[in-house]
Amino acid sequence: VTEVSPGVFTFDLLSASFCELLISELERYEASGMPPMRPNSMNNYGIVLNGPIGLERLMDLLQSSVVAPIGEALFGEEGQGLDHHHAFVVQYRPAQDKGLDMHTDACDVTLNVCLGKEFTGGGLTLCGLRGGGEVGGGERKLRLVHSHRKGQAILHLGRHRHGADDILTGERLNLILWNKSSRHRLSRGFLSKYKTRPPAAGTDSSPDLVCLSYTHDDDFEDYKPYPLGWKPVAAQAGG
């Protein structure tokens, strides 16, 4: 396990043959005509593994044997007692979902493993922590640009702001395991961190532009224009 940035760790986890086997299973399920459960509100492609595809027990084992002991050793209170999860695979192609805006995850510890296939671009940009707790800046300060490699895992806190860089060519699939701790989620520490909203206009005078979120940051347009076709949340709500 290598700490590649404060609070961000990488390690080899899955063999190339296992990655290919899992992708084949997902492709067979998609071809079966059974309705796929999409991962979340942010990803239009990919599939939930805890649903009808039947891989929840395998994900339980991945959490209990790999993520839980490593999380407890590396993340203190936030990594202790990881006991439930949301598991899914995301899929990126230039003509579909190309990337993903800056965000934090709805979990305590995130495991992200590249399954392949062949692609260029499509890195992972990590910024600061929601709710503080780090040296050298806030949530919208650049920390790391990570290049995915088949079978390699990257592990970080769910409140670490991050985004998927646009894929340029090919296709990328990643296994994502959102790990949650029932014990931590009842603690004062959890509530104090997650009641913190993304920085509002006037509260963060020098964000790194790559760390801005057009989905979540009220002051996005103070620094750069919204992406083509995107409207601020308030404008969307008004119809």
Side-chain angles (χ1 to χ4, degrees):
V1 177
T2 302
E3 187 171 24
V4 291
S5 181
V8 181
F9 302 87
T10 61
F11 53 95
D12 291 335
L13 179 61
L14 302 178
S15 67
S17 59
F18 183 88
C19 293
E20 292 160 6
L21 184 65
L22 181 55
I23 289 175
S24 295
E25 185 68 19
L26 300 178
E27 291 176 341
R28 282 194 292 269
Y29 183 86
E30 290 274 9
S32 72
M34 296 182 67
M37 295 175 61
R38 297 308 181 195
N40 50 59
S41 61
M42 301 179 291
N43 293 95
N44 298 306
Y45 300 91
I47 190 168
V48 172
L49 302 181
N50 292 7
I53 196 170
L55 294 176
E56 185 170 1
R57 298 285 80 83
L58 178 61
M59 296 300 106
D60 289 345
L61 181 62
L62 177 60
Q63 181 182 63
S64 62
S65 63
V66 177
V67 183
I70 295 178
E72 185 167 353
L74 297 179
F75 297 119
E77 179 186 337
E78 290 178 82
Q80 293 181 11
L82 298 172
D83 57 5
H84 60 293
H85 59 76
H86 177 49
F88 53 95
V89 168
V90 292
Q91 180 184 45
Y92 295 98
R93 292 172 175 165
Q96 297 179 349
D97 283 343
K98 295 192 297 182
L100 192 62
D101 185 31
M102 282 286 158
H103 62 282
T104 56
D105 292 336
C107 67
D108 300 312
V109 175
T110 297
L111 177 76
N112 182 342
V113 190
C114 182
L115 302 176
K117 302 178 178 178
E118 299 296 328
F119 58 91
T120 60
L124 179 70
T125 296
L126 293 107
C127 299
L129 289 172
R130 170 75 54 82
E134 63 179 332
V135 176
E139 181 178 341
R140 301 194 298 183
K141 290 295 185 181
L142 179 63
R143 295 287 176 265
L144 175 71
V145 178
H146 171 75
S147 296
H148 290 292
R149 176 167 57 82
K150 182 186 290 188
Q152 185 184 58
I154 183 166
L155 191 73
H156 58 83
L157 290 174
R159 61 189 180 95
H160 225 126
R161 178 176 279 218
H162 59 284
D165 303 336
D166 284 355
I167 191 170
L168 302 178
T169 64
E171 180 180 5
R172 177 169 71 82
L173 293 96
N174 280 53
L175 167 63
I176 311 293
L177 192 66
W178 282 358
N179 301 272
K180 305 177 184 181
S181 165
S182 299
R183 181 173 62 189
H184 174 60
R185 291 183 162 246
L186 294 174
S187 70
R188 291 182 178 179
F190 172 81
L191 296 175
S192 68
K193 292 180 177 69
Y194 278 88
K195 72 180 181 182
T196 306
R197 286 181 49 78
T203 63
D204 184 5
S205 60
S206 58
D208 290 329
L209 297 185
V210 70
C211 294
L212 292 171
S213 168
Y214 54 82
T215 307
H216 303 290
D217 291 346
D218 297 336
D219 61 347
F220 182 89
E221 203 169 17
D222 292 347
Y223 297 98
K224 57 183 180 179
Y226 280 100
L228 185 65
W230 180 266
K231 295 181 180 179
V233 173
Q236 291 178 347

